[in-house]
C-alpha cells in the first residue's frame, strides 16, 4: 500500500485509486472530504449519492469502480 502521511493531519495521501462520496453532516464533515480530495491524486468523486433517488446510480458506480481497480488473476 502506498501512503504518505502528514501526522499533523488526520488524512494521508495515497496514489491508490479511490472513490469518494463526499459527506456533509456531523459524522462525515465536508471539510474532511475536501482534504481527501486534495490529497488523493487518483480520485473519482460521486457528488450526488445521498438519498433513495441516487441508490441505483451509486451501486452502479461502486461496482464499475471495483471492476476497474480489482486486480485480475
Amino acid at each position: 500500500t502506498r501512503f504518505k502521511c502528514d501526522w499533523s493531519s488526520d488524512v494521508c495521501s495515497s496514489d491508490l485509486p479511490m472513490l469518494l462520496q463526499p459527506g456533509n453532516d456531523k459524522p462525515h464533515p465536508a471539510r474532511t472530504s475536501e482534504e481527501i480530495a486534495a490529497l488523493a491524486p487518483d480520485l473519482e468523486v460521486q457528488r450526488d449519492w445521498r438519498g433513495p433517488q441516487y441508490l441505483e446510480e451509486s451501486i452502479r458506480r461502486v461496482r464499475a469502480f471495483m471492476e476497474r481497480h480489482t486486480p485480475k488473476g
Side-chain angles (χ1 to χ4, degrees), residues 6-24:
D6 171 1
W7 297 110
S8 64
S9 168
D10 291 335
V11 179
C12 295
S13 64
S14 171
D15 61 349
L16 296 172
M18 295 184 198
L19 174 64
L20 176 66
Q21 295 175 315
N24 62 358

Side-chain angles (χ1 to χ4, degrees), residues 19-50:
L19 174 64
L20 176 66
Q21 295 175 315
N24 62 358
D25 56 11
K26 190 172 184 174
H28 310 97
R31 179 76 182 123
T32 301
S33 296
E34 292 166 9
E35 288 181 32
I36 292 169
L39 292 170
D42 193 6
L43 180 74
E44 181 178 328
V45 179
Q46 182 183 358
R47 300 226 177 269
D48 296 324
W49 66 274
R50 287 184 170 231

Side-chain angles (χ1 to χ4, degrees), residues 52-71:
Q53 68 273 30
Y54 300 114
L55 181 59
E56 286 185 36
E57 175 64 11
S58 292
I59 291 170
R60 186 196 68 72
R61 292 274 304 262
V62 169
R63 284 183 177 155
F65 179 85
M66 295 301 294
E67 286 173 8
R68 284 192 312 278
H69 299 290
T70 299

